Each structure stands twice: as structure tokens, then as C-alpha cells.
Amino acid sequence: MEISTLATYHCLAFVWYFFVAYSITHIKTEERPSEVFLYGGQWKYLTVLNLVLQAVFYGVSFLADVLRLIKKLRCAKPVISSRDLLFSVLAFPVSTFVCISFWTLYTYNRELVYPKSLDGVIPFWLNHAMHTAVLPFALLEIFALPHRYPAKKKGLILLGFVAFLYISWVLWIYSVTGEWVYPLFALFSPPGLAAFFAASLAIIVSFYNFGEFLNRMIWGQSKLSS
């Protein structure tokens, strides 16, 4: 894509994610079911955190495009590096994980991840904006421009650290409230839950590797090194 086209796309994507994040975080208190949005509010859900992550990523991407348009290349380089790191380590694997894991569990038993009581609170379009559209956006970004991935060890360490922080947040909420962020977790024994978290981490790592593979397959090694 031309830089001006990329700038327009990234600006629109940023506005979209900002709007979706704003919409979910401003649901009226009296409309919320009693079993959700308690301790930690919406910030305990990976879906909502992902919306903020995507808004930050597209905001950084738009800034990089603008700096390139106005020929501020020295300033653009660190912003581009931050953009690529955000996309490779977090934006792509987390969006893919959110979409695929949510709809897999929803199909199996929606009460485990998205209780029916939410249907009267969260509009149909907002549900799909949070859980469906995130994957096409991530794939479109790969096709829009090449991204430089960090060294594999560095990328996986960063991804693992962020996963550890979120799991720690989930466990902290349980220790305070006695309630799990997702009803699904209540089905597991402590060893079973540890195995579930380990399997989830393995899956998100596979999405990281898949994103890197797609990036290299579409753009080629020479383009990524230029």
C-alpha cells in the first residue's frame, strides 16, 4: 500500500477500536448482570484488554505513517520498531487467540465464556466487534505491509511474560472474590487449571509462529530485511 493509504487505514482502524473499547467500557451500571463486571470491572476480560491493545497498536501505526509522510525518518524508525514489536508479539497472536478460543468455547457451551444474560446488555454488533472482527483486522494488517519480527527467543519471552501477567491478574481476582473471571475455570482442579493455562499458552505461541510464517510467506525474507 501507499503510505497515504496506510495512514488512512490505520487511522480508521484506530478510531474503530477506540469506539468499540469506549462502547464496552461505558455500559450503564444498572444494565449489567450481577455476575459480571464486579471486581476488576471490564479490565479482567482478555477481550476488553485486547481492544485497548489494538487501539494502541493502530495509534502507533498511524503515527509511524504520518512521520514517514512528512519525511521525519529519524523519528519514524523507533516508532516503526515499536509498531512491529506490538504487532508481532501481541496484536496478532492475542487477536487470533481471542477470536478462535471464544467462538470454540461459545459453540461448545456459551455459558462458560459469555452467559446468555449478556445478550440483553451487549448488542449483537458489539459482540462481533469484540470477538469476530479482530481476526480479519489482524490478517489484513499482515497483507497491508511487512513487519519485522524480533529474534524468536526475545519474542516468545515477551509473549510469555504478558501471558504470565494476565494469568496472575486472573488468579488475584479469584483470591479476592472467590469467583473466576470465566465460569469455565471453575470446572478444573488446580492441576487441571494449570494444564489448561499451559495449553492456552502453547496455543497462543502457535499463533505467534503462524503470524511470523504468514509475514515471511507474503513478503519474503528480502523485503523484511530491507
Side-chain angles (χ1 to χ4, degrees):
M1 285 187 187
E2 294 291 332
I3 298 178
S4 57
T5 305
L6 278 173
T8 301
Y9 162 63
H10 285 143
C11 181
L12 291 174
F14 167 75
V15 171
W16 166 252
Y17 274 113
F18 184 87
F19 169 69
V20 174
Y22 179 87
S23 297
I24 191 64
T25 56
H26 284 75
I27 293 174
K28 294 180 180 178
T29 304
E30 61 270 16
E31 294 178 353
R32 301 174 184 176
S34 58
E35 69 270 25
V36 296
F37 300 147
L38 298 176
Y39 185 88
Q42 294 95 330
W43 307 112
K44 60 186 176 182
Y45 298 109
L46 184 60
T47 296
V48 177
L49 295 175
N50 180 54
L51 294 175
V52 176
L53 167 64
Q54 300 305 318
V56 170
F57 164 70
Y58 283 106
V60 171
S61 297
F62 177 60
L63 176 60
D65 297 334
V66 171
L67 291 173
R68 290 171 68 195
L69 279 172
I70 62 177
K71 308 299 182 182
K72 298 290 185 180
L73 299 183
R74 181 175 296 182
C75 297
K77 284 184 178 180
V79 179
I80 291 172
S81 296
S82 299
R83 177 201 69 190
D84 289 347
L85 190 65
L86 273 172
F87 180 76
S88 59
V89 175
L90 295 176
F92 182 84
V94 173
S95 284
T96 307
F97 180 81
V98 165
C99 179
I100 293 179
S101 62
F102 175 82
W103 289 112
T104 299
L105 292 169
Y106 185 98
T107 301
Y108 173 71
N109 181 356
R110 66 169 297 176
E111 294 298 319
L112 298 177
V113 290
Y114 194 82
K116 198 169 184 178
S117 57
L118 288 176
D119 286 346
V121 179
I122 299 177
F124 180 80
W125 73 266
L126 186 52
N127 180 23
H128 282 284
M130 294 188 297
H131 298 116
T132 308
V134 291
L135 181 54
F137 267 105
L139 292 172
L140 180 58
E141 180 66 21
I142 283 188
F143 282 93
L145 76 162
H147 297 83
R148 291 185 181 179
Y149 272 65
K152 181 62 67 72
K153 183 178 180 180
K154 177 183 178 181
L156 293 181
I157 287 175
L158 289 173
L159 178 59
F161 178 69
V162 173
F164 171 77
L165 289 179
Y166 181 67
I167 291 172
S168 298
W169 175 227
V170 167
L171 294 176
W172 171 258
I173 291 172
Y174 178 74
S175 71
V176 171
T177 66
E179 299 288 337
W180 288 109
V181 171
Y182 298 102
L184 169 69
F185 297 159
L187 301 179
F188 296 103
S189 64
L193 188 61
F196 176 82
F197 285 147
S200 297
L201 179 58
I203 291 171
I204 201 169
V205 166
S206 72
F207 292 147
Y208 172 94
N209 290 327
F210 179 61
E212 186 177 29
F213 167 75
L214 280 180
N215 192 56
R216 184 179 295 112
M217 183 181 69
I218 294 167
W219 295 104
Q221 191 61 45
S222 59
K223 183 72 174 179
L224 298 175
S225 301
S226 59

